[in-house]
Amino acid sequence: MKYNKLFVYGLASVSAVGLSSCEDAYNIRQAGEKNNANEVYNTIVDFERGLNGVYELISTEKTIEFTAIFTDEVAIGVNNGGQGLGDGQYQFQLTSGSDAAASIWQSNYIMINFANRLMAQRDRVKANIDAKYADYTEEDTVKWGEYQSELQRLNDVMAQLYAIRAFGHFQLLSWFSTDPSNPDALGVMKLDFFPEFNDYSTFLPRVKNSEIYTLIDSDLEKATTFFADGAGTTDVTRVSPNFITALKARMALYRKDYTTAASLSQSLIGNYSSALQKTADAYSQIVTDASANESIFRLARVLGDFQIGSYWASARSSLSGSPFFEVSRSLYDAFKETPSDIRAAGENLIDASSIVSDNPDGEADYVNSDILVINRYPGSSAQDDPLLNDIKVFSMGEMYLIRAEALANLGQLNGVSNSNVNKTTVQDVMRSLRRARFAQASYANRAYTDITDALSDIQDERRKELAFAGHRYLDIKRLGPVTGKSVDRYYRDCQPYSACDLSATSYKFTLPIPNTEITANPSIRGQQNPNY
């Protein structure tokens, strides 16, 4: 997301990034370098550019890669050179030294830190705006309008920063707390301030989930207040009021506040009642970024940014593109249950160059006779980069499934209202989602026998709807102990690596605090997650 990389470096120069035992190794001042935030942020334009730098740091790519490999979305590909095996991810090896844990931890705290540093400049920028227009009154309608516009832009930046900080803390809590629904469980570090430049003595401990949620709730309330004077944006690559609603809905589900989760997700479903795509061609436009339909928030990626498709292949998403991971046979077969499913039709799941066996059980050379080339993140149709795509963070499909899961836990299982807006039962929500995804005007409704039956069906549907979006790992952690369903790998994909089964109650469905943090932070030592 290259809005303005110079301002990423500008932010970095204000922060204490990296340590050295020898001061002259890091205390180097380049010509034109600005190490004082007061020299960098003076106007609303400066402030907005700083926000662009914070957007550069929002990333969910590592959660997508880790989830796909560690669970059951991918299989070892025909051109695999040790990816997923050398670090043990595919074999369920997870330690405090694992790269995934370190990357998810560090990327979120870096993002939060930079958001904090920019927020700290708000009052000074506001004072400069006031001073700029001090000689004008409401009678000068042109200048007064410019003044009000700059104040609104300032508020919009603050709204986005508070929401981004809330998102970062929630991401961390989701991945590193043993039980995000338990307010007394140990959460993560609460970073709601910025350390002074060259402050290497501030060390934070992990705090209870309740403290993290209090901060998140407060941040989202402030973001909503800052947005209140304007409508926010309809750009799905920027934080908006809809982003806040979607984040609150997901968070309420994880906290087991099912009434709130059901209400918030329904409010978005009502606003986007016709958003679900119903044809393979329309869905393909989502996969290739030709359309922003169904997106509530996505991370824009442009030439020069990280190619998320390079997680699966060396050159391109085709048989000749050296795929080292493939779509797992179990995931592919899950879509085969309904051949008309637009999410797997055409090239929406696997590339056309794939070799698909009709009888994988009977193949003597299974590795070369069943090659399901991943075609999620095949590259944007608008950019000359075969593996570069936007990252979909919140989607309408997820909102339908949040609504369904919340209703299931509230005991509202069966009954169809035939309404596009008021979906009051699990059966109603799942019917609406599947009619769209199966491209069927009518759908044989499934009647649920109990809550467990409904949650089991929802877990299966989440696997398909949210494939390669980074949800499967946390879904198994949250739903698996109830439904009895965990990692589901086809035996010929997993037996050669002795990695077919992992209980949904395994401690490995919570990430370890990374060694880098344990080593550097004395306040967090002794707070490692169980069994690591």
Side-chain angles (χ1 to χ4, degrees):
M1 185 182 290
K2 290 194 170 178
Y3 291 107
N4 191 320
K5 283 213 168 181
L6 291 177
F7 276 81
V8 177
Y9 302 137
L11 280 166
S13 69
V14 180
S15 64
V17 179
L19 302 178
S20 172
S21 60
C22 181
E23 182 179 0
D24 60 8
Y26 63 83
N27 192 14
I28 301 171
R29 193 175 178 91
Q30 302 289 336
E33 177 184 338
K34 294 182 179 180
N35 287 308
N36 188 332
N38 295 334
E39 299 175 11
V40 178
Y41 302 109
N42 294 295
T43 69
I44 184 58
V45 173
D46 296 336
F47 206 51
E48 289 171 334
R49 287 175 176 168
L51 175 63
N52 291 340
V54 175
Y55 269 98
E56 283 263 7
L57 299 171
I58 306 175
S59 172
T60 61
E61 281 93 331
K62 198 65 180 181
T63 64
I64 291 170
E65 181 204 30
F66 171 74
T67 293
I69 299 170
F70 193 84
T71 62
D72 49 21
E73 293 181 335
V74 304
I76 300 301
V78 66
N79 295 122
N80 190 279
Q83 294 90 344
L85 298 173
D87 59 7
Q89 275 191 169
Y90 192 76
Q91 300 103 317
F92 306 130
Q93 294 178 23
L94 187 59
T95 70
S96 57
S98 295
D99 173 69
S103 179
I104 294 169
W105 180 272
Q106 292 169 3
S107 64
N108 280 285
Y109 275 117
I110 289 171
M111 175 186 72
I112 291 168
N113 181 38
F114 282 32
N116 287 341
R117 292 180 179 279
L118 188 59
M119 277 191 272
Q121 300 303 312
R122 184 262 178 190
D123 289 345
R124 198 174 52 77
V125 174
K126 167 68 162 55
N128 288 344
I129 294 173
D130 289 342
K132 177 181 175 181
Y133 294 97
D135 296 335
Y136 301 101
T137 64
E138 292 185 52
E139 283 70 32
D140 190 331
T141 57
V142 174
K143 288 297 182 181
W144 188 257
E146 292 175 0
Y147 175 56
Q148 294 299 316
S149 175
E150 290 200 15
L151 291 181
Q152 181 57 58
R153 288 162 64 187
L154 184 72
N155 286 344
D156 283 347
V157 172
M158 290 300 296
Q160 293 172 71
L161 288 172
Y162 275 115
I164 288 169
R165 187 170 77 177
F167 177 72
H169 277 104
F170 180 62
Q171 283 283 99
L172 287 160
L173 189 147
S174 300
W175 289 87
F176 291 95
S177 174
T178 56
D179 183 3
S181 70
N182 181 356
D184 293 323
L186 200 57
V188 292
M189 303 184 304
K190 182 175 72 172
L191 185 59
D192 58 353
F193 67 100
F194 71 93
E196 294 295 332
F197 184 59
N198 285 339
D199 174 11
Y200 306 136
S201 61
T202 299
F203 301 103
L204 302 177
R206 297 174 69 185
V207 297
K208 291 181 179 180
N209 287 341
S210 58
E211 291 189 50
I212 300 298
Y213 282 129
T214 296
L215 174 62
I216 293 173
D217 290 340
S218 174
D219 280 352
L220 293 179
E221 181 178 353
K222 290 174 182 176
T224 300
T225 299
F226 275 116
F227 271 138
D229 292 336
T233 180
T234 58
D235 182 351
V236 297
T237 68
R238 308 293 279 189
V239 168
S240 67
N242 284 336
F243 170 100
I244 294 173
T245 301
L247 174 56
K248 284 182 174 180
R250 184 188 292 178
M251 185 167 63
L253 186 72
Y254 284 24
R255 295 171 80 173
K256 297 184 179 180
D257 179 1
Y258 299 122
T259 299
T260 299
S263 174
L264 291 173
S265 56
Q266 181 59 52
S267 70
L268 288 171
I269 292 171
N271 289 337
Y272 291 83
S273 59
S274 61
L276 290 180
Q277 302 306 291
K278 301 177 182 179
T279 68
D281 287 344
Y283 193 82
S284 175
Q285 292 184 38
I286 296 174
V287 173
T288 60
D289 297 342
S291 168
N293 284 332
E294 300 193 19
S295 289
I296 297 171
F297 179 69
R298 61 202 296 172
L299 297 170
R301 296 296 183 249
V302 299
L303 288 175
D305 286 338
F306 175 73
Q307 302 166 302
I308 187 169
S310 66
Y311 280 144
W312 327 128
S314 296
R316 64 190 62 83
S317 58
S318 67
L319 193 59
S320 63
S322 191
F324 43 82
F325 287 114
E326 300 166 14
V327 173
S328 72
R329 170 47 80 159
S330 64
L331 177 59
Y332 179 79
D333 285 347
F335 283 103
K336 285 176 60 181
E337 295 170 4
T338 308
S340 62
D341 196 322
I342 65 173
R343 296 167 295 191
E347 296 185 85
N348 287 339
L349 181 65
I350 64 172
D351 184 71
S353 62
S354 299
I355 300 173
V356 183
S357 173
D358 292 331
N359 181 26
D361 287 347
E363 297 288 357
D365 183 8
Y366 170 69
V367 171
N368 292 291
S369 301
D370 194 61
I371 305 175
L372 308 176
V373 180
I374 301 171
N375 208 43
R376 292 294 172 90
Y377 312 109
S380 168
S381 57
Q383 301 189 64
D384 186 21
D385 194 324
L387 297 173
L388 181 70
N389 281 101
D390 291 351
I391 312 302
K392 290 74 174 177
V393 179
F394 292 111
S395 68
M396 285 311 304
E398 183 190 358
M399 294 304 112
Y400 274 76
L401 290 162
I402 287 175
R403 171 80 173 166
E405 188 176 333
L407 292 174
N409 282 284
L410 293 170
Q412 297 171 223
L413 303 182
N414 298 310
V416 177
S417 67
N418 291 312
S419 168
N420 286 332
V421 178
N422 298 314
K423 305 179 191 305
T424 58
T425 68
V426 179
Q427 189 180 61
D428 204 5
V429 176
M430 298 297 280
R431 171 178 176 267
S432 296
L433 176 62
R434 285 170 168 162
R435 283 180 64 182
R437 297 312 191 212
F438 299 167
Q440 296 176 356
S442 60
Y443 169 74
N445 298 325
R446 172 170 174 173
Y448 300 104
T449 58
D450 54 28
I451 292 175
T452 301
D453 182 36
L455 292 176
S456 179
D457 189 41
I458 292 165
Q459 184 177 356
D460 289 345
E461 196 61 34
R462 285 183 68 93
R463 183 187 188 190
K464 293 184 284 187
E465 179 67 26
L466 303 174
F468 296 102
H471 293 264
R472 179 69 168 161
Y473 176 88
L474 296 178
D475 286 351
I476 292 173
K477 174 182 179 177
R478 191 181 69 258
L479 293 169
V482 178
T483 65
K485 293 180 175 180
S486 185
V487 174
D488 174 27
R489 288 177 173 172
Y490 175 58
Y491 76 99
R492 298 195 74 174
D493 284 342
C494 59
Q495 281 184 351
Y497 311 101
S498 301
C500 290
D501 300 306
L502 183 66
S503 170
T505 59
S506 171
Y507 70 91
K508 294 183 179 181
F509 281 105
T510 299
L511 292 184
I513 306 303
N515 273 339
T516 50
E517 187 66 43
I518 297 290
T519 301
N521 182 358
S523 294
I524 212 169
R525 293 171 196 164
Q527 293 185 315
Q528 180 59 277
N529 281 324
N531 298 305
Y532 288 110

